[in-house]
Amino acid sequence: MEDATESTHGSGNTSDPEGDRCLYNDFGPSKLGTKEYWEDAYQKELETFKDIGDVGEIWFGEESMSRVLRWMDKAKIPEDAAILDIGTGNGAFLVELEMDFLKCQGELKDFDICIDKGTFDAISLNPENMEEGKKLYLHALKDCLKDKGFFAITSCNWTKEQLLVRFSEGFEFVQELPTPSFQFGGKIGNSVSALIFKRVH
């Protein structure tokens, strides 16, 4: 695994020459941050699945799933671990299960692992209540994880450094998962950040 301290992550961005002007908000709101956008997108994918059996887009590609599964195998996560897939995208076997993660208010508890592939990204883009959504996400995540439970996040909007700051309270950084890198203008970066945290009280 590459030295995690030497690579820069997130949306192809490398270190800001002005020193990361803002670790929390370096992009504006978008319709991608609205519940309506995602309900419409997944409704269309569901109709396509029913019509022709196409499961639709796998966010961050199949490799993103394999990356987390390889980590779970190396970390010897038991097969009977309670796992929450936050957002779940178009997860075929979870289509019937629906709960608003930001409004779960203690209904989700005692998970060994929470996995997020892009949900925090989407919440961070909400044009109506961006900061409130991020606070609710963090609160819900803390509530649903057991002490020493793991949180695996894959993000295309946030750099490793930004995620370390965002999840510094109540979480301990465990490791960075390797993601494909690229070089541009003499800088090396990654279009995706994949980090593992542990819940600590």
mmCIF file of all heavy atoms in Angstrom, residues 6 8 14 18 34 47 54 56 62 65 74 107-108 111 121 128 137 142 154 161 164 167-168 174 189 196 200-201:
data_model
loop_
_atom_site.group_PDB
_atom_site.id
_atom_site.type_symbol
_atom_site.label_atom_id
_atom_site.label_comp_id
_atom_site.label_asym_id
_atom_site.label_seq_id
_atom_site.Cartn_x
_atom_site.Cartn_y
_atom_site.Cartn_z
ATOM 1 N N GLU A 6 1.677 10.783 1.490
ATOM 2 C CA GLU A 6 2.259 11.453 0.347
ATOM 3 C C GLU A 6 1.307 11.671 -0.819
ATOM 4 O O GLU A 6 1.659 12.292 -1.791
ATOM 5 C CB GLU A 6 3.481 10.661 -0.144
ATOM 6 C CG GLU A 6 4.583 10.668 0.870
ATOM 7 C CD GLU A 6 5.875 10.168 0.283
ATOM 8 O OE1 GLU A 6 5.950 9.962 -0.946
ATOM 9 O OE2 GLU A 6 6.813 9.993 1.046
ATOM 10 N N THR A 8 -2.436 13.013 -2.455
ATOM 11 C CA THR A 8 -3.521 13.960 -2.253
ATOM 12 C C THR A 8 -4.753 13.401 -2.926
ATOM 13 O O THR A 8 -4.682 12.885 -4.012
ATOM 14 C CB THR A 8 -3.159 15.316 -2.881
ATOM 15 O OG1 THR A 8 -1.931 15.748 -2.310
ATOM 16 C CG2 THR A 8 -4.229 16.335 -2.620
ATOM 17 N N THR A 14 -5.443 18.676 -6.244
ATOM 18 C CA THR A 14 -4.223 18.528 -5.468
ATOM 19 C C THR A 14 -4.222 19.630 -4.430
ATOM 20 O O THR A 14 -5.155 20.423 -4.356
ATOM 21 C CB THR A 14 -2.991 18.613 -6.388
ATOM 22 O OG1 THR A 14 -3.066 19.837 -7.105
ATOM 23 C CG2 THR A 14 -2.953 17.439 -7.359
ATOM 24 N N GLU A 18 -2.969 27.994 -1.831
ATOM 25 C CA GLU A 18 -3.215 28.946 -0.750
ATOM 26 C C GLU A 18 -3.420 28.244 0.580
ATOM 27 O O GLU A 18 -3.793 28.863 1.569
ATOM 28 C CB GLU A 18 -4.437 29.805 -1.083
ATOM 29 C CG GLU A 18 -4.229 30.658 -2.321
ATOM 30 C CD GLU A 18 -5.501 31.376 -2.728
ATOM 31 O OE1 GLU A 18 -6.495 31.310 -1.985
ATOM 32 O OE2 GLU A 18 -5.496 31.983 -3.802
ATOM 33 N N THR A 34 -29.931 17.020 -3.574
ATOM 34 C CA THR A 34 -31.350 16.996 -3.196
ATOM 35 C C THR A 34 -31.918 15.587 -3.225
ATOM 36 O O THR A 34 -31.553 14.764 -4.063
ATOM 37 C CB THR A 34 -32.192 17.883 -4.136
ATOM 38 O OG1 THR A 34 -32.157 17.336 -5.455
ATOM 39 C CG2 THR A 34 -31.673 19.318 -4.152
ATOM 40 N N GLU A 47 -37.114 1.385 -13.134
ATOM 41 C CA GLU A 47 -37.928 1.092 -14.318
ATOM 42 C C GLU A 47 -37.092 0.380 -15.384
ATOM 43 O O GLU A 47 -37.559 -0.566 -16.017
ATOM 44 C CB GLU A 47 -38.525 2.386 -14.877
ATOM 45 C CG GLU A 47 -39.601 2.980 -13.973
ATOM 46 C CD GLU A 47 -39.984 4.402 -14.348
ATOM 47 O OE1 GLU A 47 -39.541 4.897 -15.413
ATOM 48 O OE2 GLU A 47 -40.728 5.027 -13.563
ATOM 49 N N ASP A 54 -31.271 -4.386 -16.385
ATOM 50 C CA ASP A 54 -30.011 -3.667 -16.167
ATOM 51 C C ASP A 54 -30.029 -3.078 -14.758
ATOM 52 O O ASP A 54 -30.929 -2.324 -14.404
ATOM 53 C CB ASP A 54 -29.865 -2.555 -17.203
ATOM 54 C CG ASP A 54 -28.555 -1.783 -17.090
ATOM 55 O OD1 ASP A 54 -27.798 -2.010 -16.124
ATOM 56 O OD2 ASP A 54 -28.294 -0.940 -17.968
ATOM 57 N N GLY A 56 -28.107 -0.861 -13.503
ATOM 58 C CA GLY A 56 -27.739 0.551 -13.459
ATOM 59 C C GLY A 56 -26.311 0.779 -13.024
ATOM 60 O O GLY A 56 -25.497 -0.141 -12.955
ATOM 61 N N GLU A 62 -17.205 -1.181 -9.731
ATOM 62 C CA GLU A 62 -17.134 -2.424 -8.954
ATOM 63 C C GLU A 62 -15.883 -2.478 -8.091
ATOM 64 O O GLU A 62 -15.877 -3.076 -7.021
ATOM 65 C CB GLU A 62 -17.190 -3.633 -9.891
ATOM 66 C CG GLU A 62 -18.564 -3.844 -10.491
ATOM 67 C CD GLU A 62 -18.670 -5.127 -11.297
ATOM 68 O OE1 GLU A 62 -17.991 -6.110 -10.944
ATOM 69 O OE2 GLU A 62 -19.427 -5.132 -12.266
ATOM 70 N N MET A 65 -16.339 -1.460 -4.480
ATOM 71 C CA MET A 65 -16.889 -2.497 -3.607
ATOM 72 C C MET A 65 -15.807 -3.501 -3.234
ATOM 73 O O MET A 65 -15.655 -3.871 -2.076
ATOM 74 C CB MET A 65 -18.050 -3.214 -4.298
ATOM 75 C CG MET A 65 -19.267 -2.357 -4.500
ATOM 76 S SD MET A 65 -20.692 -3.249 -5.157
ATOM 77 C CE MET A 65 -20.083 -3.814 -6.731
ATOM 78 N N LYS A 74 -9.107 -8.667 5.139
ATOM 79 C CA LYS A 74 -7.822 -8.510 5.842
ATOM 80 C C LYS A 74 -8.025 -8.149 7.308
ATOM 81 O O LYS A 74 -7.241 -8.537 8.167
ATOM 82 C CB LYS A 74 -6.973 -7.445 5.157
ATOM 83 C CG LYS A 74 -6.382 -7.898 3.847
ATOM 84 C CD LYS A 74 -5.532 -6.805 3.214
ATOM 85 C CE LYS A 74 -5.041 -7.241 1.853
ATOM 86 N NZ LYS A 74 -4.299 -6.176 1.161
ATOM 87 N N GLU A 107 -32.996 5.112 15.724
ATOM 88 C CA GLU A 107 -33.614 3.857 15.313
ATOM 89 C C GLU A 107 -32.587 2.854 14.800
ATOM 90 O O GLU A 107 -32.813 1.656 14.836
ATOM 91 C CB GLU A 107 -34.666 4.108 14.230
ATOM 92 C CG GLU A 107 -35.890 4.857 14.741
ATOM 93 C CD GLU A 107 -36.899 5.076 13.626
ATOM 94 O OE1 GLU A 107 -37.282 4.093 12.973
ATOM 95 O OE2 GLU A 107 -37.283 6.232 13.420
ATOM 96 N N LEU A 108 -31.470 3.359 14.278
ATOM 97 C CA LEU A 108 -30.396 2.489 13.806
ATOM 98 C C LEU A 108 -29.328 2.450 14.889
ATOM 99 O O LEU A 108 -28.765 3.468 15.256
ATOM 100 C CB LEU A 108 -29.801 3.031 12.498
ATOM 101 C CG LEU A 108 -30.754 3.167 11.323
ATOM 102 C CD1 LEU A 108 -30.079 3.869 10.149
ATOM 103 C CD2 LEU A 108 -31.248 1.792 10.889
ATOM 104 N N PHE A 111 -24.365 -1.094 14.938
ATOM 105 C CA PHE A 111 -23.750 -1.644 13.738
ATOM 106 C C PHE A 111 -22.252 -1.790 13.946
ATOM 107 O O PHE A 111 -21.604 -0.940 14.570
ATOM 108 C CB PHE A 111 -24.038 -0.763 12.512
ATOM 109 C CG PHE A 111 -25.427 -0.930 11.988
ATOM 110 C CD1 PHE A 111 -26.446 -0.108 12.416
ATOM 111 C CD2 PHE A 111 -25.708 -1.949 11.078
ATOM 112 C CE1 PHE A 111 -27.743 -0.275 11.938
ATOM 113 C CE2 PHE A 111 -26.998 -2.118 10.594
ATOM 114 C CZ PHE A 111 -28.018 -1.282 11.030
ATOM 115 N N ASP A 121 -21.065 12.734 0.114
ATOM 116 C CA ASP A 121 -20.833 13.655 -1.002
ATOM 117 C C ASP A 121 -22.132 14.355 -1.399
ATOM 118 O O ASP A 121 -22.175 15.577 -1.550
ATOM 119 C CB ASP A 121 -20.298 12.909 -2.232
ATOM 120 C CG ASP A 121 -18.852 12.458 -2.074
ATOM 121 O OD1 ASP A 121 -18.191 12.851 -1.104
ATOM 122 O OD2 ASP A 121 -18.395 11.701 -2.945
ATOM 123 N N GLU A 128 -30.121 23.552 0.109
ATOM 124 C CA GLU A 128 -30.989 24.161 1.112
ATOM 125 C C GLU A 128 -30.380 24.211 2.506
ATOM 126 O O GLU A 128 -30.485 25.206 3.200
ATOM 127 C CB GLU A 128 -32.335 23.432 1.155
ATOM 128 C CG GLU A 128 -33.129 23.622 -0.122
ATOM 129 C CD GLU A 128 -34.445 22.893 -0.102
ATOM 130 O OE1 GLU A 128 -34.921 22.532 0.990
ATOM 131 O OE2 GLU A 128 -35.002 22.676 -1.187
ATOM 132 N N TYR A 137 -25.714 14.134 9.530
ATOM 133 C CA TYR A 137 -25.041 12.924 9.081
ATOM 134 C C TYR A 137 -24.064 12.433 10.150
ATOM 135 O O TYR A 137 -24.063 11.264 10.525
ATOM 136 C CB TYR A 137 -24.297 13.201 7.774
ATOM 137 C CG TYR A 137 -23.558 12.013 7.212
ATOM 138 C CD1 TYR A 137 -24.115 11.247 6.199
ATOM 139 C CD2 TYR A 137 -22.305 11.648 7.689
ATOM 140 C CE1 TYR A 137 -23.446 10.150 5.682
ATOM 141 C CE2 TYR A 137 -21.630 10.545 7.189
ATOM 142 C CZ TYR A 137 -22.193 9.806 6.179
ATOM 143 O OH TYR A 137 -21.532 8.715 5.682
ATOM 144 N N LYS A 142 -22.568 8.581 14.348
ATOM 145 C CA LYS A 142 -22.094 8.281 15.704
ATOM 146 C C LYS A 142 -23.105 7.415 16.451
ATOM 147 O O LYS A 142 -22.733 6.504 17.189
ATOM 148 C CB LYS A 142 -21.842 9.574 16.482
ATOM 149 C CG LYS A 142 -20.625 10.334 16.030
ATOM 150 C CD LYS A 142 -20.509 11.628 16.829
ATOM 151 C CE LYS A 142 -19.308 12.441 16.424
ATOM 152 N NZ LYS A 142 -19.244 13.712 17.170
ATOM 153 N N THR A 154 -16.081 6.280 0.946
ATOM 154 C CA THR A 154 -15.497 6.542 -0.367
ATOM 155 C C THR A 154 -16.104 7.843 -0.859
ATOM 156 O O THR A 154 -17.320 7.992 -0.880
ATOM 157 C CB THR A 154 -15.801 5.398 -1.355
ATOM 158 O OG1 THR A 154 -15.287 4.179 -0.825
ATOM 159 C CG2 THR A 154 -15.166 5.664 -2.706
ATOM 160 N N GLU A 161 -7.480 14.770 3.568
ATOM 161 C CA GLU A 161 -7.263 15.745 4.630
ATOM 162 C C GLU A 161 -8.582 16.337 5.121
ATOM 163 O O GLU A 161 -8.780 16.537 6.324
ATOM 164 C CB GLU A 161 -6.315 16.855 4.142
ATOM 165 C CG GLU A 161 -4.893 16.395 3.903
ATOM 166 C CD GLU A 161 -4.697 15.577 2.617
ATOM 167 O OE1 GLU A 161 -5.574 15.638 1.711
ATOM 168 O OE2 GLU A 161 -3.687 14.867 2.533
ATOM 169 N N LEU A 164 -10.405 13.723 7.193
ATOM 170 C CA LEU A 164 -9.778 13.570 8.506
ATOM 171 C C LEU A 164 -10.256 14.658 9.467
ATOM 172 O O LEU A 164 -10.503 14.395 10.642
ATOM 173 C CB LEU A 164 -8.251 13.598 8.384
ATOM 174 C CG LEU A 164 -7.609 12.381 7.721
ATOM 175 C CD1 LEU A 164 -6.113 12.605 7.528
ATOM 176 C CD2 LEU A 164 -7.857 11.120 8.534
ATOM 177 N N PHE A 167 -14.233 14.086 10.240
ATOM 178 C CA PHE A 167 -14.546 12.953 11.116
ATOM 179 C C PHE A 167 -13.535 12.809 12.258
ATOM 180 O O PHE A 167 -13.295 11.718 12.748
ATOM 181 C CB PHE A 167 -14.641 11.671 10.285
ATOM 182 C CG PHE A 167 -15.773 11.700 9.294
ATOM 183 C CD1 PHE A 167 -15.533 11.969 7.961
ATOM 184 C CD2 PHE A 167 -17.076 11.527 9.711
ATOM 185 C CE1 PHE A 167 -16.574 12.038 7.041
ATOM 186 C CE2 PHE A 167 -18.133 11.596 8.803
ATOM 187 C CZ PHE A 167 -17.878 11.858 7.468
ATOM 188 N N SER A 168 -12.977 13.934 12.691
ATOM 189 C CA SER A 168 -11.987 13.883 13.773
ATOM 190 C C SER A 168 -12.641 13.716 15.142
ATOM 191 O O SER A 168 -12.066 13.128 16.047
ATOM 192 C CB SER A 168 -11.109 15.144 13.760
ATOM 193 O OG SER A 168 -11.907 16.300 13.949
ATOM 194 N N VAL A 174 -8.063 4.929 10.815
ATOM 195 C CA VAL A 174 -7.455 3.591 10.818
ATOM 196 C C VAL A 174 -6.500 3.445 9.643
ATOM 197 O O VAL A 174 -5.330 3.121 9.823
ATOM 198 C CB VAL A 174 -8.530 2.480 10.780
ATOM 199 C CG1 VAL A 174 -7.901 1.101 10.661
ATOM 200 C CG2 VAL A 174 -9.426 2.571 12.007
ATOM 201 N N GLY A 189 -2.264 12.834 -7.731
ATOM 202 C CA GLY A 189 -3.518 12.900 -6.988
ATOM 203 C C GLY A 189 -4.392 11.705 -7.285
ATOM 204 O O GLY A 189 -4.031 10.830 -8.070
ATOM 205 N N ILE A 196 -10.828 4.468 6.170
ATOM 206 C CA ILE A 196 -11.448 3.665 7.235
ATOM 207 C C ILE A 196 -11.243 4.411 8.552
ATOM 208 O O ILE A 196 -10.134 4.825 8.868
ATOM 209 C CB ILE A 196 -10.824 2.262 7.349
ATOM 210 C CG1 ILE A 196 -10.841 1.529 5.997
ATOM 211 C CG2 ILE A 196 -11.519 1.456 8.445
ATOM 212 C CD1 ILE A 196 -12.204 1.187 5.478
ATOM 213 N N VAL A 200 -14.873 5.970 18.303
ATOM 214 C CA VAL A 200 -14.344 6.019 19.667
ATOM 215 C C VAL A 200 -15.181 6.985 20.479
ATOM 216 O O VAL A 200 -15.661 7.987 19.981
ATOM 217 C CB VAL A 200 -12.860 6.447 19.701
ATOM 218 C CG1 VAL A 200 -11.969 5.375 19.114
ATOM 219 C CG2 VAL A 200 -12.636 7.762 18.971
ATOM 220 N N HIS A 201 -15.384 6.652 21.748
ATOM 221 C CA HIS A 201 -16.198 7.515 22.635
ATOM 222 C C HIS A 201 -15.315 8.325 23.541
ATOM 223 O O HIS A 201 -14.224 7.989 23.863
ATOM 224 C CB HIS A 201 -17.158 6.672 23.474
ATOM 225 C CG HIS A 201 -18.245 6.038 22.640
ATOM 226 N ND1 HIS A 201 -19.367 6.718 22.243
ATOM 227 C CD2 HIS A 201 -18.364 4.810 22.121
ATOM 228 C CE1 HIS A 201 -20.132 5.919 21.525
ATOM 229 N NE2 HIS A 201 -19.542 4.757 21.433
#
